[in-house]
Amino acid sequence: MKNETLFVALPPLIKVPVQTTKSLHQEMGECIAKIPAQAFPQILTLARNGSAIAQYVLSMMYYSGSAVSQDSIMAEQWLEKSAAQGFAKAQYHLAMQILEESPTRALALLEAAAAQHDADAQFALANIYYAGIYAAQNYPLAMQWLKQAAEGGVPEAQEFLGVMYFMGEHLAQDIALARYWVEKSAAQEFAPAQVILGLLYLDGLNGVAHDPEQGVRLLGKAAAQDNADAQYFIGTMYRDGEYLARDKAQARQWLEKAAMQDHENAIRELNVL
């Protein structure tokens, strides 16, 4: 694997600050899935009496149709009320919904939520300032918000920050910090971080002990999450008999999975397999 560049596994430039693991509505639905229908009247009363948290919960209930009939208009109304009271998570969700149509207002909402230590809002701002979309490009500010989001536990932010430290891009190169953040992200089962860490274990790079078994395990976990880079590496290992027993059928299977996601290296390898 030493001939493979580590950075095959690194993420592309994030061009829009959207969640990468779940849609907002999926997240909302999961948060309130266990709220019983009989709790709705009490939540509604609290919301009408001005509870920002209840207003936010109520908006999620209407968005997801959990315990009440789905109603996007009511959902938006209650989300607006909660955000207007300064509830950070409501500000974040509202900002993400209106970002394209009202970027100035969305940016103000994200700044307000981020100032309250909402890590998702901090990561969104990091992406906005890094990519220069919806606001002027500002790398120092992007790194500032990225660090805070990583410290707040966002696995995508932790992996992205690790990459910045590995590459010395917009931050002074620091391999120890790079490993620290990639390991934190991988521990949260974030597949791109598992790929990076897996490759480090395979090659014994950057102070990581050479541990092929651990490297293959991490790549396998990422591949099981449909990560195309991991599927590509698993496929090439089966093809070459490196770290895995040579198996042309398994190689083809994994390379095809990666190719179905338009992985250019996998497509090229399939053509000569």
Side-chain angles (χ1 to χ4, degrees), residues 247-258:
D247 188 322
K248 188 173 181 179
Q250 284 284 346
R252 180 172 296 278
Q253 175 184 322
W254 285 107
L255 288 172
E256 285 178 348
K257 285 178 180 289

Side-chain angles (χ1 to χ4, degrees), residues 152-224:
V154 177
E156 295 91 343
Q158 293 169 339
E159 185 253 4
F160 195 5
L161 183 59
V163 169
M164 294 295 100
Y165 277 123
F166 267 127
M167 299 176 68
E169 183 177 338
H170 310 302
L171 292 170
Q173 188 175 47
D174 189 321
I175 300 304
L177 276 176
R179 283 178 49 203
Y180 172 80
W181 286 114
V182 170
E183 287 172 353
K184 294 276 282 188
S185 180
Q188 294 197 67
E189 306 299 333
F190 187 53
Q194 291 173 329
V195 172
I196 295 172
L197 193 57
L199 294 177
L200 291 175
Y201 275 117
L202 287 182
D203 289 342
L205 295 172
N206 295 317
V208 175
H210 181 58
D211 188 340
E213 183 177 345
Q214 177 75 332
V216 171
R217 186 185 71 83
L218 285 165
L219 287 171
K221 291 178 74 172

Side-chain angles (χ1 to χ4, degrees), residues 11 20 35 37 40 51 75-76 78 155 171 177 227 241 249:
T20 55
I35 296 178
F40 174 74
S51 167
E76 290 171 9
W78 285 113
L171 292 170
L177 276 176
N227 179 276

Side-chain angles (χ1 to χ4, degrees), residues 17-182:
V18 296
Q19 288 179 290
T20 55
T21 53
K22 299 176 184 176
S23 73
L24 295 178
H25 289 179
Q26 281 178 316
E27 182 182 88
M28 290 175 178
E30 290 175 9
C31 287
I32 63 166
K34 296 182 180 180
I35 296 178
Q38 56 266 34
F40 174 74
Q42 183 179 2
I43 295 170
L44 179 60
T45 297
L46 289 169
R48 285 174 172 169
N49 287 337
S51 167
I53 295 175
Q55 290 168 347
Y56 174 67
V57 171
L58 194 59
S59 75
M60 292 194 292
M61 295 175 75
Y62 276 119
Y63 269 121
S64 65
S66 177
V68 294
S69 297
Q70 193 170 36
D71 189 328
S72 61
I73 294 175
M74 291 296 293
E76 290 171 9
Q77 288 177 357
W78 285 113
L79 189 62
E80 285 275 7
K81 288 179 181 293
S82 181
Q85 293 201 71
F87 189 59
K89 192 55 68 178
Q91 292 172 325
Y92 165 69
H93 278 141
L94 180 58
M96 299 303 286
Q97 289 189 13
I98 67 171
L99 184 59
E100 290 191 9
E101 61 188 51
S102 303
T104 301
R105 184 184 178 212
L107 191 62
L109 286 165
L110 287 172
E111 296 276 6
Q116 296 182 68
H117 310 291
D118 185 275
D120 289 323
Q122 291 167 343
F123 185 51
L125 286 171
N127 280 287
I128 287 172
Y129 287 119
Y130 185 87
I133 296 178
Y134 308 116
Q137 196 167 54
N138 186 325
Y139 290 129
L141 197 53
M143 294 302 104
Q144 173 188 314
W145 287 121
L146 185 62
K147 288 177 182 179
Q148 292 189 45
E151 290 165 357
V154 177
E156 295 91 343
Q158 293 169 339
E159 185 253 4
F160 195 5
L161 183 59
V163 169
M164 294 295 100
Y165 277 123
F166 267 127
M167 299 176 68
E169 183 177 338
H170 310 302
L171 292 170
Q173 188 175 47
D174 189 321
I175 300 304
L177 276 176
R179 283 178 49 203
Y180 172 80
W181 286 114
V182 170

